[in-house]
Amino acid sequence: MTFRDNAMAVLRYQKYDKLPVVSFGYWGETVQKWADEGHITREEADDYCRHGDNGWGDRSIMKKLGFDFNWNSCIASASDLFPSFEEQTLEERPDGSRVIRDGSGLIVLVKPGIVSIPAEIGTSLTDREVWESEYLPRLRFSMERIPTEILATLRDDTNREIPVGLHCGSLMGRVRDLLGVEQMSYLTVDDPELLEEIIDTMDSLCYDCVKAMLDSGAKFDYAHFWEDICFKNGPLVVPATFDECVGPHYKRITSLLAGYGIDIVSVDCDGWIDRLIPTWLENGVNTMFPIEVGTWNASIAPWREKYGKALRGVGGMNKTVFARDRRAVDEEIERLRPLIELGGYIPCPDHRIAPDAKFDNVQYYCDRLQNLKL
């Protein structure tokens, strides 16, 4: 069986030959450190920093480590602002920090030497007039959004070694990116009609892009959404609003996917996601990715107990052990073993591998999983 066959069999609760060893990429600082240490080439590191999960650098690094494929490496359309806003510096401060308007129109504070997400200050999307004049024209569907050349190479799937995912876009996370958390929260109360129109517009664009990609004849093994609408204490959106306004859009897209034989649909949402899982499951999204065990001990086990085999998972491997030693890696694999035996679950480092990870420890983890006996 190929990596593709094994991965799809695991998630469908079918027999498989070998558990896939799955990656979710690295921080840019991680691959640059590994290049400095001589584990990978500078060209591999630079290509990964430029192209991320869809470049030859990622494939080459995975091969050296022992990963089979990257779940996050999906084929995507431009289901977003098109064109995006030109980034502008609005203010330069004495400490070297800058206030900028980013490509989404969000106004953020960028501090020198800080690689985490910039702090939100405001948004350009302040009212309906701005929405209609500056945003709506950038959210019209056209075939320019569709990667037709790449799709043409995916019409024949008979010799495929790894599964190929179709990225369906973002039904709420990108709405948050345009508005910022604060403005999105205010609109929920102050102008719910405008918020619903923004959601409907962006989600209909995602549907049109997914349909065009499927209609191209390209063959996909699974589908994937990106959201990031939760934090450590729960959702950044009112769950009832999410269920009412966004749930039907998920259902529309997953029903379309089902018509093309795609029955594994995953979602990437950081944070404590438990209160949003019912909406996803009820509307055809059945695979949680990643599962952030290293942050607050998330696990597929309580979800499986609550929702049964309808819920699958990719993730839940505590990547912090990569900064320690082989004994810590062994203990983590033993912790994962009963979760793997549940079926419908593929372990994967729970988010991108951080710069404190030792290359040899990641390599050892991959080797152990490659030879794991269940």
Side-chain angles (χ1 to χ4, degrees), residues 196-218:
E196 187 168 352
E197 182 178 327
I198 293 170
I199 292 170
D200 288 347
T201 299
M202 297 192 73
D203 293 3
S204 293
L205 174 59
C206 288
Y207 176 91
D208 291 340
C209 288
V210 169
K211 188 175 188 305
M213 294 175 76
L214 292 169
D215 287 346
S216 73

Side-chain angles (χ1 to χ4, degrees), residues 3 18-23 62 65-70 346-349 362 365-371:
F3 301 143
K18 187 183 77 66
L19 184 74
V21 184
V22 177
S23 166
M62 281 194 295
L65 286 167
F67 287 112
D68 295 334
F69 65 89
N70 183 336
I346 301 173
C348 172
V362 183
Y365 161 80
C366 291
D367 182 67
R368 281 291 319 275
L369 275 198
Q370 291 286 358
N371 296 286

Side-chain angles (χ1 to χ4, degrees), residues 68-342:
D68 295 334
F69 65 89
N70 183 336
W71 186 268
N72 201 52
S73 179
C74 300
I75 308 303
S77 59
S79 57
D80 205 340
L81 295 179
F82 188 76
S84 59
F85 292 106
E86 183 178 349
E87 185 175 298
Q88 292 181 320
T89 298
L90 305 178
E91 179 188 351
E92 294 189 9
R93 298 184 174 180
D95 64 355
S97 61
R98 295 181 301 136
V99 177
I100 68 169
R101 185 181 78 163
D102 66 15
S104 298
L106 202 63
I107 300 170
V108 298
L109 178 64
V110 178
K111 297 182 179 181
I114 303 299
V115 298
S116 60
I117 298 172
E120 296 175 4
I121 295 178
T123 177
S124 302
L125 210 175
T126 53
D127 54 37
R128 177 172 289 279
E129 182 180 351
V130 174
W131 161 248
E132 293 180 350
S133 63
E134 296 294 328
Y135 287 79
L136 264 178
R138 302 172 189 267
L139 294 168
R140 307 298 187 194
F141 175 78
S142 74
M143 286 301 294
E144 292 179 88
R145 295 175 175 273
I146 307 304
T148 52
E149 292 184 7
I150 295 175
L151 295 175
T153 67
L154 298 174
R155 291 174 183 155
D156 181 6
D157 67 350
T158 55
N159 297 315
R160 188 178 296 171
E161 287 291 318
I162 64 173
V164 174
L166 188 165
H167 203 296
C168 298
S170 171
L171 304 191
M172 195 68 196
R174 288 298 293 142
V175 174
R176 184 217 68 188
D177 282 348
L178 299 189
L179 291 166
V181 175
E182 184 175 342
Q183 176 72 344
M184 183 177 69
S185 301
Y186 280 131
L187 282 185
T188 302
V189 177
D190 295 342
D191 196 344
E193 292 80 11
L194 177 56
L195 178 60
E196 187 168 352
E197 182 178 327
I198 293 170
I199 292 170
D200 288 347
T201 299
M202 297 192 73
D203 293 3
S204 293
L205 174 59
C206 288
Y207 176 91
D208 291 340
C209 288
V210 169
K211 188 175 188 305
M213 294 175 76
L214 292 169
D215 287 346
S216 73
K219 303 295 191 302
F220 298 95
D221 300 295
Y222 64 96
H224 183 58
F225 291 90
W226 174 87
E227 293 301 356
D228 279 14
I229 48 172
C230 297
F231 73 127
K232 65 178 182 178
N233 294 325
L236 294 168
V237 59
V238 177
T241 300
F242 183 72
D243 188 66
E244 179 181 351
C245 296
V246 188
H249 289 289
Y250 276 114
K251 186 65 174 179
R252 187 180 179 212
I253 293 175
T254 60
S255 295
L256 176 65
L257 295 168
Y260 285 81
I262 300 173
D263 61 341
I264 300 299
V265 184
S266 60
V267 60
D268 173 356
C269 184
D270 293 357
W272 190 67
I273 66 173
D274 295 49
R275 294 182 65 191
L276 300 185
I277 288 176
T279 294
W280 284 318
L281 285 181
E282 290 164 11
N283 292 287
V285 180
N286 55 22
T287 305
M288 304 300 114
F289 166 84
I291 302 169
E292 295 190 291
V293 57
T295 306
W296 43 80
N297 297 317
S299 171
I300 193 174
W303 298 341
R304 179 62 57 74
E305 184 175 346
K306 185 172 183 178
Y307 300 108
K309 289 188 174 182
L311 186 143
R312 286 92 161 168
V314 177
M317 181 271 167
N318 190 345
K319 67 182 180 184
T320 63
V321 301
F322 293 145
R324 296 164 59 191
D325 53 29
R326 291 190 173 190
R327 179 178 177 180
V329 174
D330 289 336
E331 290 173 349
E332 176 62 10
I333 289 174
E334 290 309 306
R335 186 190 68 83
L336 291 169
R337 187 183 293 272
L339 303 179
I340 296 167
E341 291 171 349
L342 292 173

